[in-house]
Amino acid sequence: MSITMIPLSKLIPSTANVRKTGATAGIAELAASIKAHGLLQNLQVRAAEGGKFEVVAGRRRLAALKSLARNKDIEKLVEISCHVLEEGDAAEISLAENMMRLPMHPADQFEAFQALVETGKGPEDIAARFGCSPATVRQRLKLASVSPRLMKVYRAGKMDLDHLMAFAISDDHAAQEGAWFKQPEWNREPATLRRVLTRAHVEASDRRARFVGIDTYVAAGGHILRDLFAEEHEGYLTDPALLDRLAVERLEKEAEAIQAEGWKWIEIVPDLDYAALRQFRRVHPKIVPLAPEQQEELDRLAVAHDALADEYSEDAPETVIVEMEALAEQIDALSHRTCCWRAEDIARAGAMIGIGHAGTLTVERGLVRPKDAAETADEGDAAQNDRRSAKKQSGELSAALIEDLTAQRTAALRIVLAGDPDIALAAVVHAMVLHLFYDRFGEKTCLSFRLDSTDLRRSAENIEGTSAMRAFTEHHTEWMRQLPDHEDELWAWCLEQGSDTRLKLLAYCAACSIDAIRKPHQHDAAKLAHADQLATALSLDMAQWWQPTAGNYLGRVSKQRILEAVAEGVSPEAAENLSKLKKDALIMHAEQRLADTCWLPSLLRSPISAADEQTALAAE
């Protein structure tokens, strides 16, 4: 072979080059390197027809040179140093050059980049000279800063690059080494290493961070630790004490506005959860009714929505779907009523203020402390009796009572399904197949497959004290004891469990999603029909979970309804004996007579008959 300077315009690629896969990869980076450092390796060529030379080995270098010429970084006639092959098999030469090339170890590359920085070159300069982004350079420099002891482990092939990237979240070599050498070998996953190295920090997705705001935290002097190898991650807040102080300061400011409403007491509980609320009784606001013109508009929208739903029960055009969604949004907006608190309730109750799971302000108003409960209960009962006496006495159930009773039934469905993994599995599969293979418009399952868990307290007052809700809360607490503390550990935990545990957990998750509540102006017939099917499959007996009392039924229906209940549950003679009593006395005696009789209103009997369905809809 001889070295000859050949004009770039006379060099052409050879079909004898053996590299086929990845032949055009990384051309831009290679061009940047040639521009910065020159051609460090000569091309292997042989003479071709027309005064041309075929590049047998070095096709990527040739492509990079051509790219530089097109961009006018070098002249098209610049002469390139080439080894001219006089004899020998061209393909064999190409194979020898490609096979004998040994790529450098990544650790050598990281340290070489660090050496360039030490000579005064910045990430942008290095990036330009090697055809990569400044972010890539910063990542490699960060990897170069990992503990030398751990770098030896990496060079020895005893850890992966993913492990090295996890260590780079911290600059503390002692902490890095502790996270590796103090962990058992089976617990050295990258996610575990990151968690150990950031346990003193707070993730930017934490509800406190979202509540305060990253900008506010940084403006107050807080620092954000970024993970260069997880672009989607928002980072870690390194000063939890500052974050907590800022959160409390904002809560105190918000509390001032709530205190101005006149509540007897205000308590700030940053990590407010429902467990903290169980010790309190509640008073509830009055819902301000719609103005007549608003009610007329609401009725008109509901009729228009139902007419479209009836006309296009299947295969609705996109325009109709959009129109129905718009109508539903207007109905929801009008259905939202303004709350009005009674002055006497504000004088006896208080409010707790905290941070919700999504980082939003959470305020729980109308909480009555145990020491104030007796007086509040007396006045609350009197006010409730006033409202009952003012209510129109009719033979139909009110929409509010229907919603209450079906919320009770939903609670019972949840606890019963949670104890039946086989049917829960069938219910979840049913929901999957519905959305994947069948009509996507409308809900035909009572499970919210996204695992949205409807708060039943919004539909049934004091439901927390019912047997079904107490049982479900205990179920939830038991799972909390079994599940790992951190979400990063959940997948490994799931893999370690037996099929029986996974099925039971699936049953619980499916149960949490049940929503079989009937609300005014919502006629989800298919969804509610499925709730009946589910109740039948589970052999749901609401008598095990509900019995009529003054608060949950008897005090909310007409005298005629109460007497009908006694006649069905006890005997017609018993109803006749009570018929002359005033309503308050009737309610008390009916509750005593119906106790332990397993009597249920038709709405809670499973399955609900077509006649009962019509009665319930008429009441709505």
Side-chain angles (χ1 to χ4, degrees):
M1 293 188 294
S2 61
I3 298 178
T4 304
M5 303 301 292
I6 301 174
L8 178 60
S9 60
K10 292 185 176 294
L11 297 175
I12 59 176
S14 172
T15 57
N17 193 301
V18 298
R19 183 188 290 274
K20 300 295 189 293
T21 303
T24 59
I27 299 301
E29 293 85 347
L30 184 55
S33 177
I34 293 174
K35 180 180 177 181
H37 312 107
L39 186 64
L40 302 179
Q41 185 177 0
N42 298 320
L43 304 180
Q44 307 293 326
V45 304
R46 66 177 180 181
E49 296 180 354
K52 302 287 186 178
F53 289 85
E54 291 182 334
V55 177
V56 174
R59 182 163 61 180
R60 291 179 65 254
R61 278 166 278 159
L62 175 62
L65 290 165
K66 297 281 188 180
S67 173
L68 291 170
R70 284 195 301 272
N71 294 330
K72 298 184 179 180
D73 290 318
I74 60 175
E75 296 293 333
K76 291 183 178 180
L77 297 178
V78 66
E79 294 188 333
I80 306 300
S81 176
C82 302
H83 282 157
V84 180
L85 303 174
E86 302 294 343
E87 59 183 16
D89 185 278
E92 182 179 345
I93 296 297
S94 174
L95 179 62
E97 182 180 85
N98 282 285
M99 284 190 63
M100 296 301 105
R101 184 183 304 159
L102 183 64
M104 67 188 304
H105 193 279
D108 295 331
Q109 184 187 105
F110 307 151
E111 293 178 357
F113 271 53
Q114 183 62 46
L116 290 175
V117 170
E118 292 171 357
T119 65
K121 294 182 175 66
E124 287 75 13
D125 185 25
I126 296 173
R129 296 172 72 85
F130 288 91
C132 56
S133 68
T136 299
V137 175
R138 293 188 185 93
Q139 287 179 335
R140 293 172 184 174
L141 293 174
K142 192 69 174 175
L143 292 169
S145 69
V146 171
S147 160
R149 185 181 176 192
L150 292 171
M151 194 66 76
K152 289 182 180 178
V153 177
Y154 174 56
R155 288 180 181 277
K158 295 181 179 179
M159 72 168 64
D160 299 329
L161 180 59
D162 286 341
H163 293 98
L164 208 65
M165 291 191 295
F167 287 124
I169 194 66
S170 170
D171 294 325
D172 187 336
H173 286 182
Q176 292 174 354
E177 293 170 8
W180 178 263
F181 293 108
K182 292 181 181 180
Q183 295 287 339
E185 290 188 12
W186 58 266
N187 197 29
R188 289 175 175 173
E189 291 298 316
T192 301
L193 300 175
R194 278 191 175 87
R195 186 171 63 257
V196 170
L197 292 171
T198 59
R199 62 174 40 146
H201 307 323
V202 177
E203 289 201 50
S205 59
D206 184 272
R207 60 180 175 177
R208 291 170 294 168
R210 295 194 180 282
F211 180 69
V212 170
I214 298 298
D215 292 342
T216 301
Y217 167 79
V218 172
H223 178 65
I224 303 290
L225 177 64
R226 305 288 183 182
D227 189 341
L228 296 181
F229 302 97
E231 295 181 2
E232 73 285 354
H233 197 277
E234 300 175 77
Y236 300 88
L237 284 66
T238 61
D239 194 340
L242 172 61
L243 178 63
D244 288 338
R245 177 173 65 80
L246 294 173
V248 170
E249 287 176 356
R250 184 185 166 192
L251 287 171
E252 289 174 343
K253 185 176 180 180
E254 299 284 358
E256 291 177 4
I258 298 167
Q259 183 69 66
E261 297 173 8
W263 296 100
K264 183 176 182 179
W265 55 269
I266 298 288
E267 185 176 348
I268 294 176
V269 183
D271 296 325
L272 180 61
D273 58 29
Y274 291 115
L277 303 175
R278 290 176 184 163
Q279 60 178 305
F280 300 99
R281 283 193 58 187
R282 283 180 178 268
V283 291
H284 298 276
K286 178 182 178 182
I287 306 301
V288 178
L290 293 175
E293 60 274 13
Q294 291 177 313
Q295 186 62 55
E296 289 179 7
E297 177 65 7
L298 181 59
D299 293 340
R300 185 191 67 79
L301 292 170
V303 170
H305 183 278
D306 292 348
L308 288 174
D310 292 340
E311 182 178 356
Y312 298 97
S313 58
E314 296 181 2
D315 300 325
E318 183 66 26
T319 55
V320 173
I321 294 175
V322 171
E323 183 179 356
M324 292 182 68
E325 290 176 347
L327 286 170
E329 289 178 3
Q330 294 178 65
I331 290 171
D332 288 342
L334 275 175
S335 298
H336 180 71
R337 311 293 178 86
T338 303
C339 294
C340 179
W341 292 93
R342 289 177 288 274
E344 58 269 27
D345 288 340
I346 292 178
R348 290 180 172 83
M352 296 184 77
I353 178 173
I355 305 172
H357 289 290
T360 55
L361 179 69
T362 297
V363 181
E364 294 288 344
R365 294 175 173 85
L367 303 177
V368 183
R369 287 172 169 165
K371 63 181 181 180
D372 302 324
E375 183 178 358
T376 302
D378 292 341
E379 296 201 8
D381 290 343
Q384 187 177 39
N385 289 334
D386 290 342
R387 291 194 297 275
R388 287 173 186 157
S389 62
K391 186 190 296 184
K392 178 182 178 182
Q393 298 297 310
S394 99
E396 303 295 344
L397 301 184
S398 68
L401 180 53
I402 290 174
E403 184 174 348
D404 186 311
L405 293 175
T406 52
Q408 304 275 358
R409 186 167 183 255
T410 296
L413 267 173
R414 288 181 176 183
I415 185 59
V416 175
L417 183 64
D420 198 327
D422 290 336
I423 293 179
L425 182 60
V428 172
V429 171
H430 167 257
M432 287 182 178
V433 174
L434 273 179
H435 286 278
L436 188 59
F437 294 101
Y438 296 87
D439 183 16
R440 291 174 174 80
F441 182 71
E443 294 292 339
K444 296 184 178 178
T445 171
C446 65
L447 272 65
S448 301
F449 192 65
R450 292 184 302 276
L451 288 181
D452 296 328
S453 188
T454 302
D455 188 349
L456 302 182
R457 297 174 307 159
R458 297 175 181 173
S459 296
E461 185 177 348
N462 298 325
I463 196 172
E464 299 99 323
T466 63
S467 59
M469 283 300 292
R470 288 199 304 269
F472 204 74
T473 300
E474 292 171 2
H475 217 59
H476 181 84
T477 302
E478 180 57 32
W479 278 118
M480 288 292 291
R481 283 196 286 265
Q482 296 184 50
L483 292 170
D485 293 333
H486 200 280
E487 62 185 12
D488 289 342
E489 301 170 348
L490 181 59
W491 175 242
W493 181 89
C494 289
L495 292 178
E496 293 169 0
Q497 306 310 304
S499 297
D500 183 62
T501 298
R502 288 197 291 263
L503 279 173
K504 288 180 179 178
L505 181 55
L506 172 64
Y508 175 74
C509 293
C512 285
S513 75
I514 294 177
D515 182 359
I517 301 173
R518 301 172 186 234
K519 295 184 178 180
H521 307 293
Q522 292 183 7
H523 306 303
D524 300 323
K527 181 176 80 171
L528 298 173
H530 176 249
D532 290 341
Q533 294 171 346
L534 184 60
T536 301
L538 291 166
S539 299
L540 175 67
D541 181 7
M542 279 300 297
Q544 297 179 14
W545 307 101
W546 186 93
Q547 66 178 18
T549 66
N552 69 12
Y553 185 82
L554 299 174
R556 302 172 66 179
V557 297
S558 66
K559 285 185 62 175
Q560 183 60 35
R561 282 277 183 177
I562 299 173
L563 293 172
E564 289 173 359
V566 174
E568 289 181 4
V570 184
S571 69
E573 292 77 11
E576 180 64 24
N577 292 337
L578 300 177
S579 62
K580 303 300 183 182
L581 295 175
K582 291 184 178 182
K583 189 171 181 183
D584 288 345
L586 173 61
I587 291 171
M588 179 184 69
H589 285 282
E591 182 174 344
Q592 294 172 353
R593 296 289 185 92
L594 290 170
D596 302 321
T597 63
C598 297
W599 177 86
L600 296 171
S602 59
L603 202 62
L604 296 186
R605 300 170 192 173
S606 220
I608 299 174
S609 69
D612 295 331
E613 173 74 11
Q614 292 302 317
T615 299
L617 292 178
E620 294 178 14

